[in-house]
Amino acid sequence: MSEPVHPCLTCGACCRNYRVEFSIYELQSMGGTVPDAMAHEVGGNRARMNGTERHPVRCMALTDLPHLGEGCMGCGIYEQRSRTCRDFPFAAYGCHDTRAKFGLPQLSEDDVEQWPEAA
Ligand code: SF4
Ligand code: SF4
Protein backbone atom coordinates (compact mmCIF):
# COMPACT_ATOMS: atom_id res chain seq x y z
CA MET A 1 0.00 0.00 0.00
CA SER A 2 1.29 3.49 -0.77
CA GLU A 3 2.19 5.92 2.02
CA PRO A 4 -0.61 8.30 3.02
CA VAL A 5 -0.11 11.78 1.58
CA HIS A 6 -0.58 14.87 3.73
CA PRO A 7 -3.93 16.52 2.82
CA CYS A 8 -2.16 19.80 1.91
CA LEU A 9 -0.36 17.97 -0.90
CA THR A 10 -3.63 17.11 -2.61
CA CYS A 11 -5.06 20.57 -1.95
CA GLY A 12 -2.99 23.75 -2.33
CA ALA A 13 -6.24 25.71 -2.05
CA CYS A 14 -4.85 28.41 0.24
CA CYS A 15 -2.02 29.04 -2.27
CA ARG A 16 -4.69 29.44 -4.96
CA ASN A 17 -7.04 31.66 -3.00
CA TYR A 18 -5.38 34.51 -1.14
CA ARG A 19 -3.27 37.55 -1.89
CA VAL A 20 -0.16 36.46 -0.06
CA GLU A 21 1.52 39.53 1.42
CA PHE A 22 4.33 39.89 3.87
CA SER A 23 6.96 42.38 5.03
CA ILE A 24 9.61 43.30 2.45
CA TYR A 25 12.15 42.46 5.15
CA GLU A 26 11.34 38.80 4.49
CA LEU A 27 12.80 39.09 0.98
CA GLN A 28 16.27 37.60 0.51
CA SER A 29 17.63 40.97 -0.65
CA MET A 30 16.56 42.42 2.69
CA GLY A 31 18.08 39.63 4.75
CA GLY A 32 15.08 37.32 4.72
CA THR A 33 14.39 34.02 3.03
CA VAL A 34 11.81 34.59 0.27
CA PRO A 35 13.44 34.65 -3.21
CA ASP A 36 13.01 38.16 -4.65
CA ALA A 37 12.18 36.76 -8.11
CA MET A 38 9.03 35.18 -6.69
CA ALA A 39 7.51 38.35 -5.27
CA HIS A 40 6.91 42.01 -6.01
CA GLU A 41 6.71 45.06 -3.82
CA VAL A 42 3.27 46.57 -3.31
CA GLY A 43 4.07 49.64 -1.20
CA GLY A 44 3.88 50.26 2.51
CA ASN A 45 6.91 48.01 3.06
CA ARG A 46 4.89 45.05 1.83
CA ALA A 47 5.65 42.43 -0.80
CA ARG A 48 3.29 39.97 -2.44
CA MET A 49 3.92 36.55 -3.89
CA ASN A 50 3.79 36.60 -7.70
CA GLY A 51 0.65 35.01 -9.03
CA THR A 52 -1.45 35.98 -6.02
CA GLU A 53 -2.20 39.47 -7.37
CA ARG A 54 -4.54 38.22 -10.12
CA HIS A 55 -7.41 35.87 -10.78
CA PRO A 56 -7.34 32.97 -10.94
CA VAL A 57 -4.90 33.12 -8.04
CA ARG A 58 -1.99 30.71 -8.06
CA CYS A 59 1.18 31.48 -6.16
CA MET A 60 4.13 30.97 -8.48
CA ALA A 61 5.86 28.91 -5.81
CA LEU A 62 3.10 26.31 -5.85
CA THR A 63 4.67 23.34 -7.59
CA ASP A 64 3.10 20.27 -9.10
CA LEU A 65 4.35 17.05 -7.48
CA PRO A 66 3.21 14.28 -9.83
CA HIS A 67 5.60 11.76 -8.25
CA LEU A 68 3.37 11.85 -5.13
CA GLY A 69 0.22 11.13 -7.10
CA GLU A 70 -2.17 12.63 -9.57
CA GLY A 71 -3.00 16.25 -8.81
CA CYS A 72 -0.45 16.56 -6.00
CA MET A 73 1.20 19.91 -5.41
CA GLY A 74 3.18 21.69 -2.73
CA CYS A 75 5.15 24.77 -1.84
CA GLY A 76 8.35 24.93 -3.87
CA ILE A 77 9.96 27.21 -1.28
CA TYR A 78 8.60 25.54 1.83
CA GLU A 79 11.61 26.24 4.04
CA GLN A 80 11.88 29.79 2.68
CA ARG A 81 8.22 30.75 2.70
CA SER A 82 7.05 33.92 4.41
CA ARG A 83 5.62 34.27 7.89
CA THR A 84 2.20 34.73 6.31
CA CYS A 85 2.40 31.22 4.86
CA ARG A 86 3.94 29.73 7.99
CA ASP A 87 1.13 31.15 10.08
CA PHE A 88 -1.71 29.87 7.89
CA PRO A 89 -3.33 27.31 10.20
CA PHE A 90 -3.95 23.85 8.82
CA ALA A 91 -7.41 22.52 9.75
CA ALA A 92 -8.65 25.84 11.15
CA TYR A 93 -11.55 27.90 9.80
CA GLY A 94 -9.70 29.47 6.85
CA CYS A 95 -8.39 26.08 5.77
CA HIS A 96 -11.82 24.38 5.94
CA ASP A 97 -13.48 27.33 4.21
CA THR A 98 -10.93 27.47 1.41
CA ARG A 99 -11.06 23.72 0.81
CA ALA A 100 -14.85 23.95 0.57
CA LYS A 101 -14.57 26.80 -1.94
CA PHE A 102 -12.48 24.54 -4.16
CA GLY A 103 -14.88 21.63 -3.76
CA LEU A 104 -12.44 19.57 -1.71
CA PRO A 105 -13.72 17.15 0.93
CA GLN A 106 -13.78 18.12 4.58
CA LEU A 107 -10.72 17.06 6.54
CA SER A 108 -11.46 14.04 8.68
CA GLU A 109 -10.65 13.76 12.39
CA ASP A 110 -8.01 11.20 11.39
CA ASP A 111 -6.39 13.71 9.05
CA VAL A 112 -6.22 16.33 11.77
CA GLU A 113 -4.92 13.87 14.34
CA GLN A 114 -2.30 12.45 12.00
CA TRP A 115 -1.07 15.78 10.63
CA PRO A 116 -0.79 18.53 13.22
CA GLU A 117 0.68 21.08 10.81
CA ALA A 118 0.39 22.23 7.22
CA ALA A 119 2.73 20.76 4.63
S1 SF4 B 1 -3.59 24.46 4.87
FE1 SF4 B 1 -5.65 23.73 4.32
S2 SF4 B 1 -6.24 24.93 2.52
FE2 SF4 B 1 -3.99 25.09 2.74
S3 SF4 B 1 -3.14 23.43 1.47
FE3 SF4 B 1 -3.36 22.63 3.56
S4 SF4 B 1 -5.37 21.61 3.57
FE4 SF4 B 1 -5.33 23.01 1.79
S1 SF4 C 1 4.90 30.63 -0.86
FE1 SF4 C 1 4.37 28.46 -0.74
S2 SF4 C 1 2.97 28.27 1.02
FE2 SF4 C 1 3.07 30.44 0.43
S3 SF4 C 1 1.33 30.75 -0.95
FE3 SF4 C 1 3.13 30.30 -2.19
S4 SF4 C 1 3.09 28.07 -2.54
FE4 SF4 C 1 1.71 28.54 -0.83
Side-chain angles (χ1 to χ4, degrees):
M1 218 165 87
S2 57
E3 289 282 307
V5 173
H6 190 296
C8 286
L9 301 178
T10 54
C11 174
C14 49
C15 314
R16 296 184 283 140
N17 190 51
Y18 296 104
R19 272 190 198 154
V20 179
E21 289 188 12
F22 51 91
S23 163
I24 56 168
Y25 299 104
E26 293 197 67
L27 292 170
Q28 281 180 344
S29 60
M30 301 290 276
T33 56
V34 181
D36 287 57
M38 292 202 156
H40 55 280
E41 292 188 27
V42 290
N45 288 343
R46 304 289 290 166
R48 187 182 292 158
M49 288 305 292
N50 291 343
T52 70
E53 76 282 18
R54 57 176 176 250
H55 288 279
V57 172
R58 184 181 168 110
C59 176
M60 80 175 287
L62 186 61
T63 305
D64 291 330
L65 302 170
H67 61 285
L68 294 181
E70 197 185 334
C72 286
M73 63 191 87
C75 180
I77 57 163
Y78 188 74
E79 297 298 335
Q80 298 163 282
R81 70 200 194 286
S82 70
R83 174 56 56 194
T84 303
C85 300
R86 290 172 193 276
D87 286 346
F88 189 80
F90 173 64
Y93 175 78
C95 170
H96 292 307
D97 195 48
T98 311
R99 284 180 64 90
K101 178 177 167 182
F102 281 79
L104 292 158
Q106 272 201 320
L107 295 169
S108 67
E109 282 184 22
D110 279 355
D111 288 335
V112 178
E113 211 168 279
Q114 187 175 1
W115 314 104
E117 290 180 5

